[in-house]
Amino acid sequence: MRWQFMAALMGIALLVLLVQDIPLSGYLRQVETDRLVTSLERDAFVLAGRSEETLETPPASADAASAAAALTAAARGYRDSGGARVVIVNADGVAVVTSDDDQSAVGDSYASRPEIMGALGGQITSGHRYSDTLKIDLLYVTVPIVNGQDVVGAVRLTFPEQVVTDAVTRQISVLGLVALTTVVLAGIVGFIFSATVTRRLKLLQHTTERLADGDLDARADERAGAPEIRSLSVSFNRMATRLETLIGQQRTFAADASHQLRTPLTALRLRLERARELLEDGTDGSGVAAVERLAAAEAEADRLGSIIDGLLVLSRTESSTAPVVECDVARVARERVEHWQPLAQELGVGIRYEGPDHATASAIVTAPEQIIDNFVDNALSASTSTSTGTGTGTGTGVNSSTSSAAGLPHEIVVRVATGSPGWRVSVLDDGPGLSDEDCARAFDRFWRADSDALGNGLGLAIVAQLARASRAAVLLERRPEGGLEASVTFEARG
């Protein structure tokens, strides 16, 4: 991947430079040509100004020779300084001064040359032509020599076009060097960047291999690398955390199940063995004792079935991926109060609803019903155990052993109220409650405040799991006036 990324980046840089530099080279050639033509025109006008007096001097006069010599020296000096050939003609197109050392062209007629004729006609001409004498391409500029309204001659400057080509080639060479440097720098940048990306990917690969080998603590660094790599690391860590949680739940489930199932199975085996012994003994009353033993074994089997059912429910809630939907928790609470009303009256416990008519919240399907039912069941167990003085609480340990104040009937309140960040559904009882430590442990699996109490200790564990799946929060706390308040807070909707 690293070399492919480098090659791609260098190829893109080279393509961009070619697209840019090919038109630029043509533009540079035109600019250089225009610059040279402008320079030649300027110099030609300077020479034309100096030539005017020489051409106006009569050839037979004494000053004519000295003026011609001075002009010839100026032409040669210009040639030596810039490399351009100078030809100055009179109004008839005859050369009077050249920059050639042998002056062989002086006296020759240039009237047949289009550029000379154009200049003698008052025009400034420039262009390219091929020199048959020099066998090279030339760039020329011709300007008229004007005296008042009359054209008395012309100045032609010729320059080898190869000079322009060489100048453009030098500039293009510089551009080529810049382009090569740019491509090399692109390769270096690509190497560094790809090395950074591949290094982060290799670290992430190493982390995934650790996780695949069973290291559940393996986590990717979420703070380093490109945004896409960081996002991938966050997703990987979320997956790893979820996987660790699921495996931990499976291990805990297996450990708790094996521990909790061992006791009723042992008790069941002992009771059955004792019943068999009594039946084999055949003494008086052994049949009644065997029946009692079998009845106790049946109770243990029922308890074992209850534990298994609770574990299955808990397992389903932990692996549930049910979507969170909108529900009216106030309506659900009123319905559950109506459902529990007959049993509560039979047990001598009052139950009522407090709250608004409607409270829209988010939860998975049936979660509010199951949570409220568990809370009410525990509250009824606590109330009945208070009345009878026996520890008959459900598996949550929410039970008591004393009567309510002043002998008043027990009452359970199912309340819906606004809470942070949504709707809080609470079930309040008036028993003595639990200690703060027991309240904190009440949602653990198989935990019971009283080991002799009925139940399997899974009720509030299921409540906690349903709340987590609904993105809700559960809480069990003591009431100042006595008793417990079991609550769940759902996110508000609408």
Side-chain angles (χ1 to χ4, degrees):
M1 174 182 175
R2 178 182 302 179
W3 299 111
Q4 292 175 347
F5 184 82
M6 284 180 56
L9 194 61
M10 294 176 69
I12 292 173
L14 182 60
L15 179 61
V16 171
L17 291 171
L18 289 176
V19 171
Q20 170 185 302
D21 290 350
I22 290 176
L24 183 59
S25 62
Y27 172 76
L28 289 175
R29 182 177 184 84
Q30 184 61 43
V31 168
E32 186 66 19
T33 301
D34 293 343
R35 184 192 66 79
L36 185 56
V37 167
T38 302
S39 177
L40 291 175
E41 287 180 355
R42 183 190 67 243
D43 296 341
F45 276 112
V46 172
L47 289 174
R50 297 184 62 176
S51 303
E52 178 186 353
E53 183 179 353
T54 302
L55 294 177
E56 287 297 317
T57 304
S61 64
D63 296 330
S66 60
L71 188 57
T72 300
R76 291 177 179 176
Y78 179 78
R79 179 204 62 189
D80 295 338
S81 62
R85 182 171 182 263
V86 182
V87 174
I88 302 174
V89 300
N90 57 20
D92 296 327
V94 176
V96 296
V97 172
T98 68
S99 60
D100 300 335
D101 292 333
D102 56 5
Q103 293 294 304
S104 59
V106 174
D108 291 345
S109 175
Y110 284 80
S112 61
R113 309 292 172 86
E115 67 272 15
I116 296 295
M117 294 307 296
L120 292 177
Q123 299 177 355
I124 301 173
T125 60
S126 62
H128 305 268
R129 73 178 185 84
Y130 181 76
S131 173
D132 294 328
T133 304
L134 301 175
K135 305 301 182 183
I136 59 173
D137 291 320
L138 296 176
L139 178 68
Y140 66 85
V141 171
T142 307
V143 300
I145 302 172
V146 180
N147 182 13
Q149 297 295 327
D150 300 326
V151 177
V152 297
V155 176
R156 189 190 71 178
L157 302 181
T158 56
F159 207 86
E161 195 170 2
Q162 185 63 37
V163 175
V164 178
T165 303
D166 293 342
V168 174
T169 301
R170 286 194 297 270
Q171 295 183 12
I172 293 177
S173 299
V174 174
L175 289 177
L177 181 61
V178 172
L180 179 61
T181 304
T182 303
V183 172
V184 172
L185 288 176
I188 294 174
V189 171
F191 179 83
I192 296 174
F193 181 77
S194 61
T196 303
V197 173
T198 54
R199 183 172 62 87
R200 300 306 313 171
L201 289 176
K202 286 182 179 179
L203 289 175
L204 186 58
Q205 179 187 4
H206 177 66
T207 305
T208 59
E209 291 174 350
R210 287 174 52 198
L211 183 65
D213 291 338
D215 184 3
L216 298 179
D217 294 328
R219 294 295 185 274
D221 189 357
E222 301 178 359
R223 299 169 296 176
E228 294 79 5
I229 300 297
R230 294 199 299 270
S231 176
L232 182 60
S233 299
V234 171
S235 300
F236 173 82
N237 289 343
R238 187 163 61 248
M239 178 196 68
T241 301
R242 177 62 176 163
L243 182 62
E244 182 181 20
T245 301
L246 291 175
I247 293 178
Q249 290 174 347
Q250 290 178 354
R251 291 173 177 173
T252 304
F253 181 85
D256 291 344
S258 62
H259 174 74
Q260 292 298 322
L261 294 176
R262 186 180 298 112
T263 300
L265 285 174
T266 302
L268 178 61
R269 184 178 66 253
L270 292 176
R271 293 180 189 278
L272 291 175
E273 289 178 354
R274 182 55 180 162
R276 178 178 56 79
E277 292 172 356
L278 291 173
L279 290 174
E280 290 177 352
D281 183 44
T283 58
D284 294 339
S286 61
V288 176
V291 170
E292 293 177 352
R293 294 290 182 179
L294 290 174
E298 183 179 7
E300 292 294 339
D302 291 341
R303 183 186 173 198
L304 179 62
S306 176
I307 292 176
I308 293 175
D309 290 341
L311 290 174
L312 291 175
V313 172
L314 187 60
S315 177
R316 285 195 296 268
T317 57
E318 287 178 342
S319 60
S320 175
T321 57
V324 175
V325 298
E326 183 179 296
C327 63
D328 188 347
V329 293
R331 178 184 59 79
V332 172
R334 289 196 305 271
E335 291 177 352
R336 303 326 296 162
V337 169
E338 295 174 359
H339 172 80
W340 286 95
Q341 193 78 47
L343 178 60
Q345 291 178 353
E346 182 180 339
L347 296 174
V349 178
I351 182 170
R352 61 186 175 88
Y353 168 77
E354 287 184 0
D357 293 335
H358 299 284
T360 305
S362 299
I364 64 174
V365 178
T366 74
E369 291 92 333
Q370 295 184 64
I371 292 174
I372 294 174
D373 284 347
N374 269 283
F375 285 166
V376 173
D377 186 28
N378 294 339
L380 283 174
S381 298
S383 298
T384 55
S385 65
T386 300
S387 300
T388 60
T390 61
T392 59
T394 63
T396 65
V398 185
N399 57 74
S400 58
S401 59
T402 60
S403 61
S404 60
L408 295 176
H410 293 285
E411 184 180 50
I412 297 173
V413 178
V414 179
R415 178 182 298 160
V416 176
T418 56
S420 178
W423 291 102
R424 177 180 173 119
V425 181
S426 304
V427 176
L428 302 90
D429 64 55
D430 53 7
L434 300 171
S435 66
D436 291 337
E437 180 181 356
D438 287 343
C439 286
R441 298 178 54 196
F443 293 98
D444 295 342
R445 295 175 181 175
F446 303 111
W447 184 87
R448 290 175 292 177
D450 186 352
S451 59
D452 294 330
L454 298 177
N456 52 37
L458 293 174
L460 287 186
I462 295 173
V463 165
Q465 183 58 37
L466 289 171
R468 280 193 294 270
S470 301
R471 298 198 292 268
V474 291
L475 183 64
L476 187 66
E477 53 188 346
R478 294 189 298 172
R479 300 174 62 193
E481 62 270 26
L484 291 175
E485 178 179 356
S487 63
V488 56
T489 304
F490 297 99
E491 294 181 356
R493 291 285 290 269

